[in-house]
Amino acid sequence: MARTMTSAARRKDTREKIELGGLIVKAGLRYEKRALLLGALIAIARRIKSDDHERSRLTAIGVEAFGNDGE
């Protein structure tokens, strides 16, 4: 990131990272190795680029896990 990032932009970036980390915890993966988590995320990113059905299936699982808020 650029060194000239504003304070507001840094706060927004930090907040987003905290929220994304919370997803790891919510998924029950808090104690997994970082390399495994990154590998899993890379694999799923590749898969959903080429498979709309898989994207929809995984989205449905996530929506169910979140309950009614969906995000």
Side-chain angles (χ1 to χ4, degrees), residues 3-69:
R3 289 184 149 204
T4 59
M5 183 182 260
T6 67
S7 179
R10 278 194 306 274
R11 281 192 305 273
K12 181 180 178 190
D13 182 63
T14 298
R15 184 73 197 145
E16 183 178 75
K17 289 174 182 173
I18 290 167
E19 289 173 355
L20 292 170
L23 295 176
I24 297 296
V25 173
K26 189 165 184 71
L29 299 170
R30 176 188 298 240
Y31 301 108
E32 294 297 337
K33 291 184 179 182
R34 290 183 207 180
L36 179 136
L37 295 172
L38 182 57
L41 291 169
I42 290 169
I44 198 63
R46 289 175 182 163
R47 188 179 301 167
I48 64 174
K49 283 182 182 177
S50 63
D51 188 342
D52 288 337
H53 175 71
E54 184 69 355
R55 176 184 290 271
S56 296
R57 186 182 77 80
L58 293 172
T59 298
I61 292 170
V63 167
E64 182 179 333
F66 274 122
N68 292 330
D69 58 2

